[in-house]
Amino acid sequence: MSKVVAVIGASSNRRKFGNRALRAYRQQGYTVVPINPHETEVEGVKAYRSVLEFPGPIDMASFYVPPEVGEQVIAEVAQKGIPEVWLNPGAESDELIARAKSLRIQPIVACSIVAIGQNPYAL
């Protein structure tokens, strides 16, 4: 079974990294869950307002939102019990990392698109 990844800040704008990430994960065979309260679907995939609205388990969350938004969302990620959390360039802050750690989450601060072997600029 493929890994389920929540793209926090998934966007319909194909130039944005929240969109590029969604496409990159899909190309790699992941099941993608777009999370964005302002979108109903992204790239033909049903979007959810929050990870808590998604009915099944989520293996990984990848953040493509400003740190102050991430600070609001991280508690929901902890509540959902998502074991792997990526803070992509621009999504991380000392405050968010501290908040994550206080919720027993050890975030990975790196580009998750590069980590799965894709060039985000080529998508």
Side-chain angles (χ1 to χ4, degrees), residues 25-113:
Y25 283 120
R26 276 179 54 187
Q27 284 174 16
Q28 296 286 329
Y30 288 78
T31 299
V32 182
V33 180
I35 305 295
N36 186 329
H38 310 292
E39 302 271 9
T40 52
E41 64 171 45
V42 178
E43 297 289 318
V45 181
K46 177 179 168 37
Y48 294 85
R49 295 177 58 80
S50 153
V51 293
L52 298 176
E53 283 188 6
F54 182 72
I58 297 173
D59 302 305
M60 179 178 146
S62 194
F63 280 63
Y64 291 92
V65 290
E68 56 275 14
V69 176
E71 285 179 51
Q72 309 299 314
V73 176
I74 195 77
E76 295 175 351
V77 167
Q79 195 180 333
K80 183 78 175 169
I82 300 171
E84 190 178 327
V85 176
W86 290 73
L87 303 178
N88 291 279
E92 84 290 359
S93 69
D94 291 345
E95 293 78 14
L96 176 53
I97 292 166
R99 178 96 177 94
K101 287 180 176 172
S102 76
L103 293 164
R104 303 196 193 305
I105 293 170
Q106 186 60 54
I108 301 156
V109 182
C111 179
S112 62
I113 300 174

